[in-house]
Amino acid sequence: HVTVGLFGRQVDFLKKEMNVLPLEELAATLFRGGEIPPRSVALTFDDEYDDIHRHAFPILKARGLPATVFIATGFVDTDRVPWTDELGFLFGKTEKKEIEFDGRVSLEGVENRLRALRRVKAALKALGEEDRRARFEDLRKQLAVAAPNPVRVLGRRAIREMAEARISFGAHTVNHPILTRIPAEEAHREIADSKRMIEEISGRRAAGFCYPNGEEGDFSPEIEQMVRAAGFAYACSTVEGVNRPGGDVYALRRLWTSGESLPLFAARIL
């Protein structure tokens, strides 16, 4: 969503105009109801793609800025990626002109293909995890892409290197399920096991958690309590907005960074 050059300019703006602080520090201040410095901001990355290490990390390191990366621990040092991104790869590479998904779905032309991808992804997200897996495998067979996905995730060596240079790592479950779509016992395991695994991988305490997908309905008071009980100090959603004293530190809001112009980015942040 963001080119390397634009990301560098965005980070330069943040360093000049904002107080870029570790998310753990800001969350702790929010939890205590303390006074937050004006224009405070924390940088976060969801998922563990290796382009964070190849492209974003050198920019952050050169400027001495902190950031937090949330990792679905079951993908580290594997050739797998979360299903949402695998679906995008399959739709992008398939030579099929249509598929069957609750009726015939055209894949002719870029617009039809993008529309179909959005529709299918939204429908799969609404399913329980077992049904989602079954329908995803059916789609994989229909799309019939033989080539492997070239996208790779971070390995332990890169994670340890980044952890030595002001990059903190939080948990994003083990397998990236939407937690309200799976049984409570499984959700508990995904949360607790991800904390244990990310601490073992990074060699650091994991203070933060991030809900997969993270929209309203993807987490609940019961899920928040599981996150607290697992020992996390805060949790992030993908709900748009800013955070103020007295807010729920287990449902932190965030602002999406995209490829818009730098002036628009600056106006939205400020």
Side-chain angles (χ1 to χ4, degrees):
H1 296 279
V2 182
T3 65
V4 173
L6 178 58
F7 180 68
R9 293 191 294 275
Q10 290 175 342
V11 167
D12 286 338
F13 164 80
L14 293 174
K15 183 171 183 178
K16 179 181 178 182
E17 301 291 343
M18 310 292 287
N19 286 303
V20 183
L21 298 172
L23 180 53
E24 183 175 350
E25 179 181 324
L26 282 174
T29 304
L30 280 171
F31 182 76
R32 295 193 304 266
E35 184 173 344
I36 298 172
R39 293 189 174 188
S40 291
V41 64
L43 290 166
T44 66
F45 297 85
D46 287 6
D47 306 323
E48 58 284 340
Y49 297 108
D50 70 348
D51 66 341
I52 298 172
H53 178 254
R54 287 186 288 112
H55 299 312
F57 176 53
I59 291 171
L60 295 170
K61 185 178 180 181
R63 291 153 178 81
L65 294 180
T68 299
V69 181
F70 293 108
I71 288 182
T73 54
F75 297 92
V76 174
D77 281 331
T78 75
D79 59 0
R80 298 186 302 118
V81 297
W83 72 264
T84 47
D85 296 292
E86 182 68 10
L87 187 70
F89 167 74
L90 295 173
F91 267 78
K93 293 297 183 181
T94 186
E95 296 181 1
K96 301 295 182 181
K97 303 302 181 185
E98 69 175 27
I99 57 171
E100 175 68 28
F101 190 85
D102 299 330
R104 292 171 60 188
V105 178
S106 173
L107 302 181
E108 289 273 13
V110 174
E111 288 302 316
N112 278 334
R113 191 168 292 213
L114 285 173
R115 190 179 301 113
L117 172 60
R118 294 187 190 106
R119 175 193 158 191
V120 169
K121 186 185 291 187
L124 291 179
K125 284 182 178 181
L127 297 176
E129 192 67 8
E130 188 173 339
D131 290 340
R132 195 273 305 160
R133 289 191 189 108
R135 298 209 69 180
F136 181 87
E137 288 307 315
D138 176 66
L139 284 165
R140 186 194 295 277
K141 291 175 182 176
Q142 290 193 62
L143 293 166
V145 176
N149 190 337
V151 172
R152 289 293 176 266
V153 300
L154 291 169
R156 290 172 182 250
R157 183 179 298 177
I159 291 170
R160 289 289 181 102
E161 178 189 351
M162 294 167 71
E164 296 287 342
R166 302 198 75 193
I167 307 299
S168 62
F169 289 87
H172 198 31
T173 71
V174 178
N175 298 299
H176 205 270
I178 296 177
L179 292 169
T180 52
R181 307 280 199 275
I182 60 177
E185 184 178 338
E186 186 178 344
H188 180 270
R189 284 198 305 270
E190 286 279 344
I191 294 165
D193 287 356
S194 66
K195 180 173 174 59
R196 174 183 55 78
M197 292 171 69
I198 194 59
E199 289 178 341
E200 187 274 323
I201 291 168
S202 69
R204 300 285 195 280
R205 171 177 174 263
F209 184 82
C210 179
Y211 304 108
N213 211 49
E215 298 175 357
E216 291 185 12
D218 296 333
F219 59 101
S220 65
E222 293 76 19
I223 296 295
E224 287 189 39
Q225 181 54 40
M226 290 182 194
V227 172
R228 286 192 196 92
F232 291 104
Y234 68 87
C236 287
S237 72
T238 58
V239 178
E240 287 268 328
V242 297
N243 302 288
R244 304 186 188 282
D248 185 355
V249 295
Y250 290 96
L252 294 175
R253 296 169 177 263
R254 291 184 290 176
L255 295 174
W256 181 261
T257 302
S258 65
E260 62 200 2
S261 71
L262 187 62
L264 284 175
F265 170 82
R268 189 158 60 90
I269 295 297
L270 290 171

